[in-house]
């Protein structure tokens, strides 16, 4: 058994022990998303428009992430709608980042590795960057939306007469904790993935200006920042949608009592 297979078995066992039967669903969702990402990349190679393909694939991937979670139905419905809305916003921001940042293509550090290969692959590298930025933010956005939505519904269930203003305040408090955790997760994930590259930068005595303008560094930093923007935008949007939903449910209940 290889290392990856062993880690996968350990993950499955821990998910079942901690989450019960829903752990199997979560693990199956992870495998399904891996297949979806592989299909998405294959479609890129076959000539499908990367940005449009990524938007459609993101809708399916978010559905798997959200609906295969252990949350209740009303939480997953709102979390999915909010996640889709945030992803469309991030698609526009990703295009602006690529356009003004000019971060498409490969950096100088990988020039020797790809020197013997043709770069005329018939795919727009600019659109590929937009796709990468969008796909990198999917998990963080879905996680934040589920966490905020489920937290607010829990508050509303405990305090049925809570006002919309107080609910929004509670949502901001819950979201603030999630944003801080998500930012650190994204940052340390970025730093850990490129630790060897940072050591290489130090050994070659890169000046700070050269480092902060390096294509690899800028592209990864943009990915982390865009994901963080997505998490921050998810908090007030989720809070607003939950508040509107609760008001609608209260109005329906009042109408039933009148009848």
């Amino acid at each position: 058994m290889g290392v990856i297979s062993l880690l996968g078995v350990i993950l499955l066992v821990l998910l079942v022990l901690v989450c019960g039967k829903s752990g199997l669903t979560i693990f199956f969702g992870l495998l399904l998303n891996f297949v979806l990402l592989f299909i998405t990349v294959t479609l890129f190679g076959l000539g499908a428009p990367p940005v449009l393909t990524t938007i459609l694939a993101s809708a399916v991937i978010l559905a798997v992430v959200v609906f295969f979670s252990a949350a209740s139905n009303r939480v997953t419905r709102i979390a999915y709608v909010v996640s889709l809305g945030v992803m469309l916003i991030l698609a526009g921001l990703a295009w602006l980042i690529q356009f003004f940042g000019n971060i498409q293509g490969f950096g100088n550090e990988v020039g020797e590795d790809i020197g013997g290969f043709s770069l005329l692959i018939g795919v727009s590298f600019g659109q590929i960057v937009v796709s990468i930025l969008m796909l990198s933010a999917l998990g963080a956005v879905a996680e934040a939306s589920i966490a905020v939505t489920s937290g607010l519904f829990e508050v509303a269930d405990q305090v049925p007469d809570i006002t919309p203003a107080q609910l929004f305040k509670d949502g901001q408090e819950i979201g603030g904790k999630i944003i801080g955790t998500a930012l650190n997760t994204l940052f340390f994930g970025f730093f850990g993935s490129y630790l060897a590259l940072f050591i290489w930068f130090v050994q070659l005595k890169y000046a700070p200006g050269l480092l902060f303008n390096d294509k690899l560094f800028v592209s990864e930093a943009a990915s982390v920042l865009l994901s963080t923007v997505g998490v921050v935008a998810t908090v007030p949007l989720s809070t607003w949608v939950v508040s509107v939903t609760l008001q609608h449910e209260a109005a329906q209940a009042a109408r039933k009592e009148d009848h």
Side-chain angles (χ1 to χ4, degrees):
M1 180 180 292
V3 175
I4 300 300
S5 300
L6 178 60
L7 289 175
V9 172
I10 293 174
L11 174 61
L12 176 59
V13 172
L14 290 176
L15 283 173
V16 173
L17 290 176
V18 175
C19 304
K21 292 182 180 180
S22 61
L24 292 174
T25 305
I26 295 172
F27 187 79
F28 177 73
L30 179 63
L31 294 179
L32 182 57
N33 273 334
F34 176 80
V35 174
L36 289 172
L37 286 173
F38 181 80
I39 293 174
T40 302
V41 175
T42 303
L43 290 174
F44 290 169
L46 294 176
V51 175
L52 179 60
T53 303
T54 301
I55 292 175
L56 297 177
S58 297
V60 180
I61 292 172
L62 283 174
V64 173
V65 172
V66 173
F67 291 106
F68 278 56
S69 66
S72 62
N73 289 334
R74 63 176 183 171
V75 169
T76 53
R77 287 195 298 267
I78 292 178
Y80 181 66
V81 172
V82 171
S83 299
L84 275 182
V86 172
M87 285 308 304
L88 291 176
I89 295 173
L90 294 184
L93 292 177
W95 184 85
L96 291 175
I97 291 172
Q98 184 276 328
F99 181 80
F100 291 103
N102 195 30
I103 57 176
Q104 72 274 8
F106 300 95
N108 295 329
E109 294 77 15
V110 297
E112 294 183 1
D113 297 331
I114 63 174
F117 298 95
S118 173
L119 299 181
L120 301 177
I121 59 176
V123 178
S124 169
F125 281 102
Q127 293 191 38
I128 291 294
V129 169
V130 175
S131 299
I132 292 173
L133 292 174
M134 292 174 59
L135 291 173
S136 299
L138 285 179
V141 170
E143 178 186 359
S145 183
I146 292 175
V148 174
T149 304
S150 59
L152 288 175
F153 274 122
E154 184 68 24
V155 171
D157 290 338
Q158 296 296 325
V159 188
D161 58 345
I162 189 171
T163 63
Q166 183 60 46
L167 185 67
F168 190 83
K169 181 180 179 182
D170 291 340
Q172 296 300 99
E173 292 179 359
I174 295 172
K177 298 179 178 63
I178 295 172
I179 291 171
T181 304
L183 178 58
N184 283 291
T185 301
L186 293 168
F187 172 75
F188 286 113
F190 159 60
F191 189 82
S193 300
Y194 284 86
L195 180 60
L197 181 63
F198 291 147
I199 295 174
W200 191 73
F201 284 152
V202 172
Q203 292 294 328
L204 292 180
K205 297 180 173 56
Y206 268 47
L210 185 61
L211 171 63
F212 289 115
N213 285 282
D214 182 81
K215 188 182 291 292
L216 286 177
F217 180 85
V218 172
S219 61
E220 290 303 317
S223 176
V224 172
L225 292 175
L226 186 67
S227 299
T228 306
V229 169
V231 173
V232 174
T234 299
V235 172
L237 186 57
S238 297
T239 304
W240 178 75
V241 174
V242 170
S243 179
V244 171
T245 302
L246 291 174
Q247 291 179 33
H248 180 68
E249 292 177 354
Q252 284 185 328
R255 284 195 296 267
K256 288 181 179 179
E257 290 180 359
D258 292 338
H259 292 296

